[in-house]
Amino acid sequence: DKLARERNAVLLGIVVLSPAMALAIWPVVQVRLQRPLSHVTAVIRKVASGDLSARINQPGSDEIAELSREFDAMTRAMEETRRHLAAEIEAREEAEANMQRANKLVLVGELAATLAHEIGSPLQVLNGRATMLSERADLPTDARRHAEILVEQTDRVIGIVERLLDVARRRAPAFEETDLGAVVERMVEFHAAQAKRLGVSLDTSLSDVPLVLADDSQVQQVLLNLLQNALRASQRGGKVSISLGTGMLEIPGAEQSVPAVVIDVEDTGQGFSEAVHARLFEPFFTQWHESVRGGTGLGLPVVKSIMADHGGSVSATSELGKGARFTVKFPVRRAVREAS
C-alpha cells in the first residue's frame, strides 16, 4: 500500500508538473528553434525564387547558426557565379557586336575603294564642268539653276565617297597633349553660322578640365559629327547644348573606373526610339529621311571608331519627343601615364 501511494504521488506530480514544465520550456523552444527555423525557411524560399542576395545571418554558435553560415556562404558563391556568368555573356555579346561592326567596316572599305576608283574622277570632272556652267552669265537663268543643282548633288556624292574613305582608311591617332575646351570652342564657333541660319541656339557650359592625350583633328571630327547630327535633329527655335566637364570612365575588364574628360552634346529634337538606339553606331544606318537633312549613316560609326582608338567611349540617351544626348569620354589616366 505504501509503495502504491508513493507511485500514485509520483504520477500525480508528473501530471501536475508536466504542463508547468511545458509552459516554461515553450518560450525557449520559440526563441531557440521555431523562430530561427521559420526565418531559415523564409530565406530558403527567397533563394529558391531567384533572390540570391537573401541571407540568414543567424548569430550564435549552435547547430542552426552553423547551418546558416554554411547556407549564406553557398548563396554568396552562387551570387558571385551568376554575376560572373552575366558579365561573360555581356562581354561575348559585345565581342560579337564588335565583330559584326568590323565585318561591315571591311565591306565599307572595299566599297569605298571601288567607288573612289570608278566614280571619283568622273564625279570631279562633272562637278567642275557644272561649276563652270553655273558661273556663266551668258546662260539662261534656268540653265544656270540646273547647273547649280548638278554642283550640289555631285558635291553630296563626293562627300559620301570621302566619308566612306574616312571609315575605310582610319589612321592611327597622333596623340599629343590636347586642350579639349579649346577644341570645343573652335567647333562651336565653326557651327555658329549654320545654327543661326537654322534658327537653333547654341549654348555652351565649359568647365576647366585637365589636358588629355588625343588627336586634335580626330577630336574635331567627333564634335563635327555630333554637332551636325544635333543641328539636323533640331527644329527652328530649338536648342543645342554643349557641356564640358569631368567624370569617370568605365574601362571594359577593369575593376575600377578612371578619371575622364566628358563632353555632352544635347539637342531638343524628336529623339529616337529604343529600336533606333540599338542600331545607332551601325555603318549605313540612319534615321534621317531623304531630304535636305539626310545623312549617310557613317558619322556615328566614325565617332565610335575614333573614341575606341582613344581608349574612350561614346554613348547616347534619348526619349521620344524630348531630344537626345550624346556623351563622349576621354580618359585622363592615359595622359598621366604616358607623359610620366
Side-chain angles (χ1 to χ4, degrees), residues 73 149 180 184 203 288:
I149 292 173
L180 293 183
V184 170
D203 290 354
W288 310 116

mmCIF file of all heavy atoms in Angstrom, residues 73 149 180 184 203 288:
data_model
loop_
_atom_site.group_PDB
_atom_site.id
_atom_site.type_symbol
_atom_site.label_atom_id
_atom_site.label_comp_id
_atom_site.label_asym_id
_atom_site.label_seq_id
_atom_site.Cartn_x
_atom_site.Cartn_y
_atom_site.Cartn_z
ATOM 1 N N ALA A 73 27.189 31.214 -47.068
ATOM 2 C CA ALA A 73 28.396 31.104 -47.893
ATOM 3 C C ALA A 73 28.052 30.513 -49.257
ATOM 4 O O ALA A 73 28.583 30.945 -50.291
ATOM 5 C CB ALA A 73 29.433 30.241 -47.179
ATOM 6 N N ILE A 149 22.244 72.862 -109.401
ATOM 7 C CA ILE A 149 21.726 71.619 -108.811
ATOM 8 C C ILE A 149 22.718 70.488 -109.039
ATOM 9 O O ILE A 149 22.971 69.666 -108.149
ATOM 10 C CB ILE A 149 20.346 71.280 -109.406
ATOM 11 C CG1 ILE A 149 19.306 72.314 -108.958
ATOM 12 C CG2 ILE A 149 19.908 69.873 -108.990
ATOM 13 C CD1 ILE A 149 17.953 72.162 -109.629
ATOM 14 N N LEU A 180 40.844 70.085 -74.644
ATOM 15 C CA LEU A 180 39.540 69.808 -75.238
ATOM 16 C C LEU A 180 38.619 71.020 -75.180
ATOM 17 O O LEU A 180 37.747 71.186 -76.038
ATOM 18 C CB LEU A 180 38.886 68.609 -74.540
ATOM 19 C CG LEU A 180 39.583 67.258 -74.745
ATOM 20 C CD1 LEU A 180 38.785 66.149 -74.059
ATOM 21 C CD2 LEU A 180 39.751 66.938 -76.218
ATOM 22 N N VAL A 184 36.493 72.395 -78.355
ATOM 23 C CA VAL A 184 35.041 72.594 -78.309
ATOM 24 C C VAL A 184 34.694 74.018 -78.745
ATOM 25 O O VAL A 184 33.765 74.241 -79.539
ATOM 26 C CB VAL A 184 34.494 72.306 -76.899
ATOM 27 C CG1 VAL A 184 33.030 72.747 -76.791
ATOM 28 C CG2 VAL A 184 34.625 70.825 -76.564
ATOM 29 N N ASP A 203 24.186 76.668 -77.009
ATOM 30 C CA ASP A 203 24.551 77.013 -75.637
ATOM 31 C C ASP A 203 25.757 76.187 -75.206
ATOM 32 O O ASP A 203 25.841 74.987 -75.505
ATOM 33 C CB ASP A 203 23.388 76.736 -74.682
ATOM 34 C CG ASP A 203 22.246 77.718 -74.889
ATOM 35 O OD1 ASP A 203 22.423 78.657 -75.677
ATOM 36 O OD2 ASP A 203 21.184 77.524 -74.275
ATOM 37 N N TRP A 288 17.443 59.480 -90.604
ATOM 38 C CA TRP A 288 17.010 60.647 -91.367
ATOM 39 C C TRP A 288 16.317 60.208 -92.645
ATOM 40 O O TRP A 288 16.763 59.312 -93.352
ATOM 41 C CB TRP A 288 18.206 61.544 -91.729
ATOM 42 C CG TRP A 288 19.086 61.879 -90.571
ATOM 43 C CD1 TRP A 288 20.385 61.524 -90.401
ATOM 44 C CD2 TRP A 288 18.724 62.626 -89.409
ATOM 45 N NE1 TRP A 288 20.859 61.997 -89.216
ATOM 46 C CE2 TRP A 288 19.863 62.684 -88.579
ATOM 47 C CE3 TRP A 288 17.553 63.262 -88.994
ATOM 48 C CZ2 TRP A 288 19.873 63.350 -87.367
ATOM 49 C CZ3 TRP A 288 17.558 63.912 -87.785
ATOM 50 C CH2 TRP A 288 18.703 63.952 -86.987
#
